[in-house]
Each structure stands twice: as structure tokens, then as C-alpha cells.
Amino acid sequence: MAEVTIRQLRKSFGSVEVIRGVDIDIPDGEFVVLVGPSGCGKSTLLRMIAGLEDVTAGTIRIGERVVNNLPPAERDIAMVFQNYALYPHKTVAANLAFSLKVRKTDRAVVKERVEQAAETLGLTPYLHRYPRQLSGGQRQRVAMGRAIVRDPQVFLFDEPLSNLDAKLRIQMRTEIKELYQRLGTTTVFVTHDQIEAMTMADKIVVMEDGLVEQVGTPLELFDRPRNVFVATFIGSPAMNLIHGTVRRDGAPHVEANGHRLPVRPDREAPDGHSVIYGVRPEHLDLAEDGGGFPARVAVVEPTGSETLVFLRFGETEVVALFRDRHFFKPGETVHLRPRTDQTHLFDAATGVRL
Amino acid sequence: MSAETGQIFKDAAPDLKFRAKWYTRRVLIYGTLLFWTVICLFPIYWTATTSFKIAPDVMQGHLIPWADFEPAWRGWRSLGLSPQTIFETSTVREEFLKRFTNSVITSLAASALAVVLGSMAAYGLSRFTYRLKFIKNRDISFFFLSQLILPPVVLALPFLVLYKELALLDSHIGLILLYTLMVLPIVIWIMRDQFSAIPVELEEAALVDGLSVWKAFLQIVLPIALPGMIAAFILSLVLCWNEYFFAALLTSTDAKTIPVMVASQTGSQGINWWSMAALSFAAILPLVIIGIVLERFIIKGMAAGAVK
Ligand SMILES: Nc1ncnc2c1ncn2[C@@H]1O[C@H](COP(=O)(O)OP(=O)(O)OP(=O)(O)O)[C@@H](O)[C@H]1O
Ligand SMILES: [Mg+2]
């Protein structure tokens, strides 16, 4: 096991820079999830850690060593690929044993490790099959088995669950978490699914367009997003964003569409400042007394356990999530009151949290 | 309990109709295949039987041995390969064996060389992006394949001059190099598809698992691409084995191959059908055997996307 330290990392393909100066510290034994929209450079970053892509500038350190110029074989990492990349001409047992055999491990040890991994992953009945004779979930497990037999310094996962159906994906993410808790190996896990990131990570790294937007625990990102991008990327349904102006006459508030939206008094925004006001759908309460701001109901989606309501506040679309059941009619006007403590303010020009 | 046995469920009318349709389809498909097989195999049959005929049988178009005509060893005797002559010295047989060996050497060497070189070229084309100004991978591939469009006659004179200068006329090396060049485009074409069908991640996984680039190629890529390589090798072998034009042009006494010898059987006194048939049959026999033995590799290699 080892920590991974990334400093000012850059990667260009020809004249296009896809990683644009990334710093990440991954302490020993931590489960870090890289998350971000498609094309933001997650895979590229992971492949650079693995040694499958050259480093254009910056350093990658695994444990004590700078690994920039080491081939993948010498980095002591294991990687699970999105399409599993199982060797089609080898049986499951041979796939699992391959990396150990390459390293000239003692036969008895190989046998023991393979059997143990197969047992952990529930692959014992399939050891003599070929990859093509397995289901998607089983192949995925073989790919993980190939990683764990070696007991590497770092596990790298590149969207390992995205080829599975929704139900299996949820089951597997719990199982991977459990496996990690048992092994305690430093893990970097790439996904574009924020729910996967929230549920699995010790620490989430949110990336956009080759840059790290924010690093933090799932709840830190949820409670204190550093900018509009993170605010909308983390959490489902996404945070409501309302354009407005800060007013400091009397109690500080944001004026939007001619209505007053409450803010925490400690926000450092001068009077007249143009801002984006953020509040999550679950932090909007129904104001039966006519307070808050008025919004017109567009669509109601009852899911049984909660009610999702899509509304219009002036021109702005707003989503509200209620724990209890409501039977609104489309076109009806309701009053919503944001919970002052749970509101966010972002600079309208830069998108940065205030 | 009464021990009643016997059928309870029976085919209903639609089942029977379905079965009838199924049978008709089978009969039609296999009938067609059988017909096509006969057409394909007839020339071989004709060649084989003709080598046992004498002049009148050939002329009168007799086809079925013992019924139509009495088989004789005439053709094979002229080659020195009949039971009576096999232990006697025979200049024709020596000549035949020499040509046969020449064909074996040139075809095997050229095909092996072409598969090795072609696979390397194809691997490069499928894995790396080349760019020479406006020329990209696709253009390079097409450039290779376009060599097949040129009629070989165009190259006859230049090669004759070139080989004369290089003292490669009538040598094994000369013919081997030329044949390698001839089959290289096809090998590259086949192997490029083979390598493209293998996901890059497999090699990357092998690198992460601890192999060097070369070992990953040898231990992971090569075994998966092997059926394709064998198919390409066999195809090259067949093409080289049958090649006549350049062999006739560039070889004379030492390096002459079987096809040239077969063609030279048409003497001034007319054609010795029986000996030519015997010779032809002996010439195609190795290919027939290879085809039967390695058939499953050929099919596996030719089927695109065989690797998943
Ligand atoms: N070999 C390459 N050559 C040129 N550009 C590349 C190469 N690999 C990736 N890119 C580009 O780099 C950017 C980042 O790609 P990357 O695969 O890292 O994205 P990602 O975050 O993993 O996205 P996804 O969620 O779709 O997998 C993309 O714009 C992509 O087009
Ligand atoms: Mg990716």
C-alpha cells in the first residue's frame, strides 16, 4: 500500500491540452473517486497513474518513488478496465494467475492466491471456463480478481460498472466497497456517475475540462460546493440556481424576480452584487402562510416515498422535493421558503462560492 | 397403477407443416451445396482419372474408371512414379522431384517471410497513427493493397533487368523475394483486420500485469491472432505455389518450379494428356492435403471478429 501524490500534472495530445495542471494527494489506504462529465480527462489521468500514457509535465509519486518514467510493470499497480480486458485465450484461473506467473511467483503461492481470490469473488465454480462463457457481472469479477491476487500498492478502476445493468451496478458498488474495506488498499476509482461517487468514496475529486474543481469528502462537496459546477454536479435532483442581486437593506437577502430570498447573514457579498442563489430541492419548504417566494406548478412526479415538483419562478425553473405527499394541480401557485442555513451564494460572473 | 406407456403429445397440424418446411429447406440447402461441391471437385477428379487413361480414353471423354475405361499406369510411368518404375532410375522423376523441391522451398520461404513482415506492418497500422503530411494510416493500407491492381506483366521487363544486374536470375533467393513482395499486400490486409479486432486494453492489461511491450505482443496478441496468421500463411502458400508467370520469366535450369514444368509438357508432338495430368495431380496434392488438415484455421482466421 502506498500514497499517491500528483503535482502540477499536465497532458497534451498534440496541441490539445486535456489535463491542465492537476494536484491531488491520496493518502495511504484511501478510496478516492474521480468524477466528472464525459471527456473531462478522468481516464487520461488514471492511465497516466498506471503508466499507459506519458506525462507531459508534472510528477506522479507512488509511495516514495517518482514513477513518471517507469513502465506500468514496475509501478506495482493493478487496473480494472471498463471492458474488463480479460485474456480471451486463457481460462478464468489462468487469467487470475497470469500476473503472478509473469512475476515468477512460487506455484503453491499462485494456487493459493487464485483460490482465495476466486472464493472472495464467488468465482470458484467458473475457474475452468473461458471469459466468453461468462456473464457480464462474472467477467467484471474476474477483472477484479486479476487485480487483487497481486496485492498491489494501488488499485485503479476505470468505470468498471458502466457495462452492467442498473440493479447489478448497485449491488456491485456495495461489494466493491466491502472488498476495499477488507483489503484497505489505496484505490482510485473513475466514474461519471455522481451517485456512485457519493456512495463509495472516502474522498471525491471533481474534475471538469482537465482541471480539478474540488476535492473533499462526499458530504463536504454536498454541503459546501466550491462553485456552481460542483453544486450542480453533486446531488440529485440537481441544485436550483436562481439569478439575483444581493440587498443589504435590513436583513441581507437576494432579490430575484422581485421577491426576497433569505441568505445567511455571514455571507460576504456587498450590496448590489450580482449572484447566483443556490438551494437544493430538498431544502425548499412549503410556506402555507404565504411567505417565501411564489412559484407556479408545472409537473408533479409522485414516487411514493417522496414528491418531486417542477415549478416556474418567473422564468426560472425550480425543482422541489417533499418527503410528504402533496396533490398539486399544474398551474397552481404555491409558496416556497428556502431553509436559510442550507442556501448557497455564488458569484454570477465567476461561479465561485461566496 | 396401470403401466401405460406411449406417446401422449402429438404434433399438431402447424407442427407438421413446420417440419415439412424445415425438411424442404434442408434438402434445398444441402442439394445446392452438394451440386456446388461436385462442380468444384470435378476438375480434380478429372485430372486424377486422366493420369490413368490412355490416348483414346482421353479423346472419347471416358469418365468412370473400370466402367468406361481400364485404368493404366501410363501417365505415372512417364513420370517414373508408377509401381513398375519407382525403383528404377528415371531422369523425369529426378527432374520432377527437383522442381517439386524448388516449389516447396520458394513457397514456404516466401510465405513465412511475408507473414512475419506483413504481421509487423499490419500491427503497426492497427495500433499506431502515422502521418506523413497528408498520408494517413488508411492511405498507407490502400497503398499496399493497390500493388495488386498493377498487372504483373508491367513489372516483367524491369525485374528481368534488375535481376540480371543483381545476378538473381534463376536463383531461389530471387524468386523468394519476388513472391514475398507479391503476397505481402494480402497478408497485411488480412493481419490488419486481425489485429484491429483485438482490443488495445488487452495489451494494456498485460503491461499492467507486468509484461514488457514485446512480451505482451508475443504472449497475448500473437496467440489470439494466430488463426489469422495461419490463414494468411496458407493463402500465401497457395498463391506462391501456383505462380507461373514470374517463375517462367526469371528461372531456367536451377530454380524452375512445378507450374513451369507442367506447362512445358506441351511438346511439338501435341499434348501428353496422361503425363500432364499425373504431373498436375502431383502438383496440387500438397495443397489439397494442407487444405484438409488446416481447414479449421482457415475458416477461423477468415471469419471477421473471431476474437471477442
Ligand atoms: N489518444 C488520444 N488522442 C487524442 N485525444 C485524446 C486521446 N485520448 C483522450 N483524448 C481526449 O482527451 C479528453 C479526455 O479524455 P478522457 O478519455 O480522459 O475523458 P473521460 O473523462 O475519461 O471521459 P469518459 O467519461 O467519456 O470516459 C477527451 O477530449 C478526448 O477526446
Ligand atoms: Mg473514460
Side-chain angles (χ1 to χ4, degrees), chain A residues 42-44 82 158-159 190:
Chain A
K42 310 178 295 284
S43 299
T44 307
Q82 183 171 0
D158 191 355
E159 307 207 19
V190 165

Side-chain angles (χ1 to χ4, degrees), chain A residues 47 83 85-87 89 103 150, chain B residues 201-202 204 206 208-210:
Chain A
R47 291 165 55 81
N83 62 3
L86 304 180
Y87 308 127
H89 58 304
R103 275 152 227 266
R150 245 175 57 208
Chain B
E201 283 88 350
L202 278 187
E204 294 178 342
V208 172
D209 273 350

Side-chain angles (χ1 to χ4, degrees), chain A residues 85-131:
Chain A
L86 304 180
Y87 308 127
H89 58 304
K90 293 181 186 292
T91 61
V92 169
N95 263 283
L96 294 178
F98 188 69
S99 64
L100 296 174
K101 289 218 173 110
V102 168
R103 275 152 227 266
K104 309 253 186 305
T105 315
D106 186 62
R107 262 188 188 207
V109 178
V110 174
K111 190 163 178 285
E112 189 199 310
R113 294 258 199 100
V114 167
E115 275 168 8
Q116 200 188 339
E119 153 103 60
T120 305
L121 296 164
L123 289 170
T124 313
Y126 313 118
L127 280 176
H128 297 289
R129 291 210 194 161
Y130 285 91

